[in-house]
Amino acid sequence: MIPHMQSLLGRIEAGQIGEADVYALERAAAVRHERMPPGALFCPVCQHSAVRFLPFGLAGRRQACCPRCGSLERHRFLWWVLGRHTDLLRRRHRVLHTAPEPCLRARIAALPGVRYLSVDRYDPAADIQAPLDCLPLADASRDVVLTSHVLEHLRDDKAALRELARVLRPGGWMAVMVPYDPALPATLEDPHLDDPAERLRRFGHPYHFRIYGADLPQRIAGAGFAVRVLDSRKVLSGHRRRRFRINRNHVLVCTRAAAR
Ligand SMILES: [Zn+2]
């Protein structure tokens, strides 16, 4: 969510600015490089300490954004999970990174053993421009998929999950992050709702179609995955959550079922 999304809403509703331009602004806003004295906070992505992090989001969420690499809480948790709870750093992988986050893209591409490919519907800097439910990639051609905060933008997320299952090899895995509230009995969604103001009101973002609830793991499993849910409050000690500034977040590590 870009800090000035609220100020853009009038233009979004009037059709004066398109989705692609809004995302371009979002990417630009994510790049932050500010000098900050070292201190008690530590960013596991760029490995630097800081006396404080920067505010982020509509409500100016405090201490959210690393001043050096621009990572947010969810990026720092994803990076931690990839390093400590998957084999990404230990084996050779053909990685597909969807809607690549500026703070993670180069770091993942530079990992030894990673053959990196990025995909985005709008970002001209991505290796491929394509929607997630129609990827110009061969069956079973990727070992790993990283997809963070993309599925909620898609009208038909089940089609995208099937497509990701198709391009992953059996035994390969994907890391998924989405707006997810396990306390919600079921996903709140309306794939037919086009009005950005109404989507902002109901789902917290003018281009989201849903907030996922307790049925999320089942929903992913339905596309042919074994799903492991990693909760930041269980994976990280309180000390690390405070030091890294990581709030409650979930990464779902989803392994593609082996061929029968
Ligand atoms: Zn950082």
Side-chain angles (χ1 to χ4, degrees):
M1 173 65 79
I2 60 178
H4 48 291
M5 182 70 86
Q6 195 79 53
S7 66
L8 290 175
L9 255 189
R11 293 172 62 200
I12 292 171
E13 287 176 281
Q16 291 166 348
I17 183 166
E19 205 172 347
D21 293 325
V22 171
Y23 291 136
L25 285 171
E26 190 170 17
R27 285 194 297 277
V31 179
R32 311 279 279 273
H33 300 285
E34 292 191 19
R35 286 184 180 276
M36 191 71 73
L41 302 183
F42 183 79
C43 173
V45 175
C46 67
Q47 300 282 311
H48 279 83
S49 79
V51 68
R52 65 176 187 277
F53 285 176
L54 304 171
F56 189 85
L58 280 179
R61 202 169 66 247
R62 293 176 61 238
Q63 309 271 29
C65 179
C66 168
R68 188 174 182 106
C69 72
S71 70
L72 301 177
E73 299 94 332
R74 66 173 185 257
H75 305 136
R76 295 190 286 276
F77 185 50
L78 176 60
W79 185 249
W80 180 266
V81 165
L82 291 175
R84 304 289 182 108
H85 296 272
T86 75
D87 60 4
L88 185 68
L89 305 185
R90 298 195 303 275
R91 298 182 58 175
R92 300 177 72 82
H93 295 288
R94 297 162 296 174
V95 172
L96 178 67
H97 189 185
T98 74
E101 304 84 347
C103 64
L104 297 181
R105 179 200 313 241
R107 287 180 172 85
I108 293 167
L111 290 173
V114 162
R115 279 165 59 194
Y116 181 84
L117 193 64
S118 61
V119 61
D120 192 281
R121 204 157 35 138
Y122 300 113
D123 186 354
D127 298 316
I128 304 171
Q129 283 75 42
L132 213 55
D133 55 2
C134 185
L135 295 169
L137 298 171
D139 293 359
S141 58
R142 297 279 113 189
D143 306 300
V144 169
V145 169
L146 309 174
T147 186
S148 177
H149 288 255
V150 176
L151 290 172
E152 70 275 17
H153 290 259
L154 302 174
R155 213 179 282 279
D156 187 353
D157 62 333
K158 289 177 182 161
L161 287 168
R162 286 195 299 273
E163 183 68 343
L164 293 173
R166 182 187 69 78
V167 303
L168 265 176
R169 70 166 168 78
W173 56 267
M174 66 175 180
V176 175
M177 292 184 95
V178 288
Y180 170 43
D181 180 359
L184 270 181
T187 294
L188 283 177
E189 68 179 333
D190 188 347
H192 306 294
L193 185 62
D194 286 319
D195 178 18
E198 185 62 12
R199 287 156 79 185
L200 176 68
R201 191 184 70 74
R202 289 183 57 189
F203 309 128
H205 189 290
Y207 298 124
H208 287 186
F209 286 106
R210 62 186 68 78
I211 298 172
Y212 288 93
D215 54 329
L216 173 64
Q218 262 178 300
R219 210 165 166 124
I220 298 175
F225 292 94
V227 180
R228 189 161 53 110
V229 181
L230 299 176
D231 179 337
S232 60
R233 293 200 296 206
K234 295 184 179 153
V235 166
L236 293 167
S237 65
H239 170 72
R240 281 194 167 128
R241 292 201 306 278
R242 288 188 293 276
R243 180 164 149 74
F244 300 162
R245 293 296 304 171
I246 290 175
N247 52 9
R248 193 173 191 202
N249 260 290
H250 300 83
V251 175
L252 289 86
V253 179
C254 313
T255 304
R256 171 89 164 85
R260 298 177 187 205

